[in-house]
Amino acid sequence: MLRNQDQLTQPTRTTFLLNALAASMLMTQSVHALSTAAPDAGVQITNTAEASYLFDGQFVTQPSNTVAVDISALYAINLTSA
């Protein structure tokens, strides 16, 4: 049994911190996914990213290509035992 935090080795501490970070990120994403309703079929979602940087002392903003996703219906069957 560890009596104090100094007994943890650096790889063990790093692994623990990375696991904690990954778990918190997954929980944040799942809460966000559950809090919003899915879009209706037939809706088109578009997105354009934007990068800003300094080049030769000038502030430059460059948009990406716009992408579009068409939402379609998913028909599924749920089987249960009788």
Side-chain angles (χ1 to χ4, degrees):
M1 177 175 221
L2 298 176
R3 295 190 179 178
N4 62 37
Q5 193 174 10
D6 294 334
Q7 291 177 328
L8 288 174
T9 62
Q10 186 61 33
T12 302
R13 187 176 300 165
T14 302
T15 301
F16 171 77
L17 291 174
L18 288 174
N19 286 337
L21 176 63
S24 65
M25 290 174 65
L26 287 173
M27 290 182 70
T28 301
Q29 288 178 344
S30 65
V31 168
H32 176 70
L34 294 175
S35 66
T36 58
D40 294 328
V43 172
Q44 184 178 67
I45 300 173
T46 59
N47 186 41
T48 305
E50 196 172 86
S52 300
Y53 55 94
L54 283 173
F55 181 73
D56 288 336
Q58 297 286 347
F59 190 71
V60 179
T61 301
Q62 182 66 44
S64 71
N65 296 337
T66 300
V67 295
V69 175
D70 295 319
I71 305 300
S72 60
L74 173 65
Y75 299 100
I77 298 173
N78 187 15
L79 300 176
T80 58
S81 61

